[in-house]
């Protein structure tokens, strides 16, 4: 009897992690996997067990548990938090232990984001530099103070020390309502971060908004294409780890097109008009008072005025091909998200900015250190 591949997933109740889990559960080789997911909610743990996933109740500050789980895994997907250095250090301790015990090189697929390469443009311009994940010197030059960067460096450091093969997925702004059994069971959050936040802000002020003139441009990718990329990478590593770049050669930008915040604002505005929630589709500039209300900090709110551009050269070379390759297709997905958030706001008696304000604290600390 051959033993199963022990897969450990952090972030299964999240937007990206839930999507990755869906795809692992429906993978052609799913019967050769033993999937363990950490989860904070005991109710969600029970629902995960029903899908055949071993659920371990753990938060990212349960360092001993993280280390212990990581020490037993062959493959780890970290899709919980791109910025939690103590948690990644605990995870890496476990990975080191696994290597020292078995002599094998555990696989670590970590998630960062193109916030790593974002410039603070205040909405005034689009980044000129286009990053390529094949340009290692360009990647090495990203400052340590950049968003997500300290954790990415810890992951690459572990690869350099030779006890893991590490891969960093670095998606741009992911969008689209996530779907599949993990979402239908009420286990995972079906919405992304940036565009849903802009939708909530628009619902709160009855008009789409942007930072400054909205000229800042960001890398964008659909959630299905993002998960296709995770699985393409996982399949390639499973087939032949020697043939796949890792460490510094293992950065994978996730991008299919670029979009300005003005264009996003227009798409949200048009959806508001179509749904009878606004009279004018044209986005206007957020005031500082609005940013403070929505994000708990004006500086954090201005993250929506940063800019970045990149190419997914490594994934494309691997045969990954995005289905939602243009911003037109991506922006077409905004209307269902506006409907979703409008319904939630009605149910909750108003727009709930709790998640944005929590995220705002992190954004503020990163932006202040730059
Ligand atoms: N969405 C994007 O466009 C995008 C793009 C690039 C990078 N990223 C990064 O990727 C990561 C995941 O993004 P997402 O959109 O999937 O976010 P999400 O929907 O909020 O999911 C976050 C996941 O991490 C878990 N988590 C967070 N803090 C935790 C803690 N202290 N202990 C245990 N579990 C914890 C959450 O568990 P609970 O359900 O218990 O809260 C959830 O499963 C984030 O760090 C984000 O910055 C996101």
């Amino acid at each position: 009897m051959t033993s199963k591949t022990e897969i450990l997933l952090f972030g299964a109740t999240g937007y990206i992690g839930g999507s990755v889990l869906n795809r692992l559960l429906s993978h052609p080789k799913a019967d050769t996997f033993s999937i363990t997911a950490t989860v904070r909610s005991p109710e969600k743990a029970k629902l995960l067990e029903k899908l055949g996933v071993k659920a371990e109740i753990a938060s990212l500050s349960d360092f001993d548990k993280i280390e212990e789980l990581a020490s037993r895994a062959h493959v780890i997907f970290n899709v919980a938090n791109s910025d939690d250095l103590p948690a990644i250090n605990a995870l890496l301790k476990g990975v080191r232990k696994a290597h020292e015990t078995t002599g094998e090189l555990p696989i670590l697929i970590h998630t960062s984001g193109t916030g790593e390469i974002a410039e603070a443009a205040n909405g005034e311009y689009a980044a000129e530099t286009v990053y390529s994940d094949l340009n290692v010197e360009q990647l090495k030059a990203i400052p340590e103070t950049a968003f997500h960067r300290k954790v990415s460096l810890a992951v690459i450091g572990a690869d350099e020390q030779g006890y893991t093969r590490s891969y960093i997925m670095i998606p741009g702004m992911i969008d689209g309502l996530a779907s599949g059994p993990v979402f239908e069971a009420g286990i995972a959050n079906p919405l992304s971060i940036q565009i849903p936040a802009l939708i909530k802000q628009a619902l709160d002020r009855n008009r789409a908004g942007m930072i400054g003139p909205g000229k800042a441009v960001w890398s964008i990718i659909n959630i299905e294409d993002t998960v296709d990329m995770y699985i393409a990478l996982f399949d390639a590593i499973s087939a032949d780890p020697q043939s796949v770049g890792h460490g510094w050669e293992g950065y994978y930008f996730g991008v299919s097109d670029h979009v300005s915040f003005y264009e996003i604002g227009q798409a949200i505005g048009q959806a508001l008009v179509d749904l009878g929630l606004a009279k004018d589709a044209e986005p206007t500039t957020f005031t500082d008072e609005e940013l403070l209300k929505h994000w708990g900090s004006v500086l954090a709110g201005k993250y929506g005025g940063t800019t970045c551009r990149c190419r997914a050269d490594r994934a494309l070379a691997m045969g990954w091909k995005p289905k939602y390759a243009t911003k037109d297709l991506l922006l077409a997905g905004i209307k269902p998200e506006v409907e979703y958030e409008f319904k939630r706001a009605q149910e909750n008696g108003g727009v709930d900015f709790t998640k944005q304000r929590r995220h705002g604290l992190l954004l503020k600390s990163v932006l202040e250190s730059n």
Side-chain angles (χ1 to χ4, degrees):
M1 196 181 80
T2 48
S3 57
K4 293 200 169 190
T5 304
E6 293 289 341
I7 299 177
L8 176 60
L9 172 62
F10 293 95
T13 56
Y15 175 65
I16 312 174
S19 304
V20 168
L21 179 57
N22 270 330
R23 290 291 299 276
L24 291 173
L25 290 169
S26 63
H27 193 280
K29 293 191 175 154
D31 60 350
T32 68
F33 305 154
S34 167
I35 306 174
T36 301
T38 60
V39 61
R40 288 193 276 195
S41 143
E43 292 75 30
K44 290 189 177 181
K46 280 189 204 134
L47 294 171
L48 279 168
E49 298 273 357
K50 281 192 192 161
L51 294 179
V53 176
K54 288 185 206 162
E56 291 278 352
I57 308 281
S59 99
L60 292 178
S61 45
D62 291 330
F63 303 134
D64 290 346
K65 184 112 183 212
I66 291 177
E67 181 183 335
E68 200 264 320
L69 290 169
S71 74
R72 289 191 267 131
H74 301 130
V75 180
I76 300 173
F77 287 90
N78 182 24
V79 202
N81 186 332
S82 312
D83 299 280
D84 195 328
L85 190 58
I88 202 80
N89 283 336
L91 189 157
L92 291 173
K93 262 173 105 176
V95 172
R96 186 192 279 275
K97 206 180 271 179
H99 171 66
E100 286 169 355
T101 314
T102 64
E104 302 286 322
L105 284 173
I107 302 301
L108 172 55
I109 302 178
H110 171 70
T111 305
S112 178
T114 55
E116 255 190 62
I117 55 165
E119 297 171 33
N122 212 16
E124 297 287 346
Y125 65 89
E128 278 183 17
T129 306
V130 182
Y131 280 77
S132 165
D133 44 20
L134 292 173
N135 187 342
V136 171
E137 290 316 307
Q138 191 186 38
L139 296 176
K140 284 186 173 173
I142 299 169
E144 193 191 347
T145 50
F147 204 24
H148 313 310
R149 183 68 170 173
K150 286 192 181 71
V151 175
S152 297
L153 290 176
V155 168
I156 292 179
D159 185 288
E160 287 181 316
Q161 287 171 55
Y163 60 86
T164 179
R165 282 199 177 93
S166 78
Y167 308 84
I168 297 187
M169 302 297 293
I170 176 160
M173 184 191 295
I174 309 176
D175 207 50
L177 264 177
S179 60
V182 177
F183 297 96
E184 279 144 29
I187 297 169
N189 156 40
L191 287 163
S192 189
I193 301 173
Q194 281 162 287
I195 289 180
L198 287 165
I199 291 172
K200 285 189 190 179
Q201 291 178 271
L203 286 169
D204 187 61
R205 69 203 288 272
N206 300 314
R207 184 145 187 178
M210 60 197 168
I211 301 296
K215 288 184 185 167
V217 157
W218 254 72
S219 316
I220 191 166
I221 181 169
N222 175 269
I223 183 64
E224 285 176 38
D225 289 332
T226 308
V227 183
D228 281 350
M229 193 185 279
Y230 277 84
I231 299 300
L233 176 63
F234 169 69
D235 286 344
I237 301 165
S238 304
D240 178 12
Q242 308 291 349
S243 69
V244 185
H246 59 97
W248 281 113
E249 308 280 338
Y251 254 70
Y252 292 83
F253 282 122
V255 53
S256 62
D257 203 350
H258 290 87
V259 65
S260 73
F261 284 97
Y262 174 72
E263 290 168 305
I264 295 171
Q266 272 189 322
I268 293 173
Q270 192 55 54
L272 290 179
V273 170
D274 291 350
L275 295 166
L277 301 172
K279 291 201 170 61
D280 196 331
E282 198 63 8
T284 57
T285 300
F286 291 122
T287 64
D288 285 0
E289 290 71 27
E290 286 172 328
L291 295 178
L292 189 62
K293 177 181 178 192
H294 301 153
W295 294 93
S297 146
V298 176
L299 185 62
K302 290 201 172 167
Y303 188 72
T306 60
T307 181
C308 58
R309 290 199 291 159
C310 58
R311 292 197 307 263
D313 291 331
R314 269 187 204 281
L316 289 166
M318 196 185 279
W320 169 80
K321 202 163 178 262
K323 293 191 278 286
Y324 297 84
T326 71
K327 66 183 160 203
D328 298 338
L329 268 175
L330 289 157
L331 293 178
I334 279 184
K335 194 169 169 191
E337 293 183 66
V338 174
E339 286 174 300
Y340 186 98
E341 290 288 11
F342 177 60
K343 193 162 164 266
R344 281 220 306 198
Q346 280 188 313
E347 286 163 3
N348 296 332
V351 182
D352 180 3
F353 287 106
T354 313
K355 189 171 175 182
Q356 276 65 45
R357 292 203 193 106
R358 207 169 48 230
H359 206 63
L361 285 174
L362 171 69
L363 290 171
K364 183 168 174 280
S365 71
V366 172
L367 294 169
E368 276 173 350
S369 68
N370 276 297

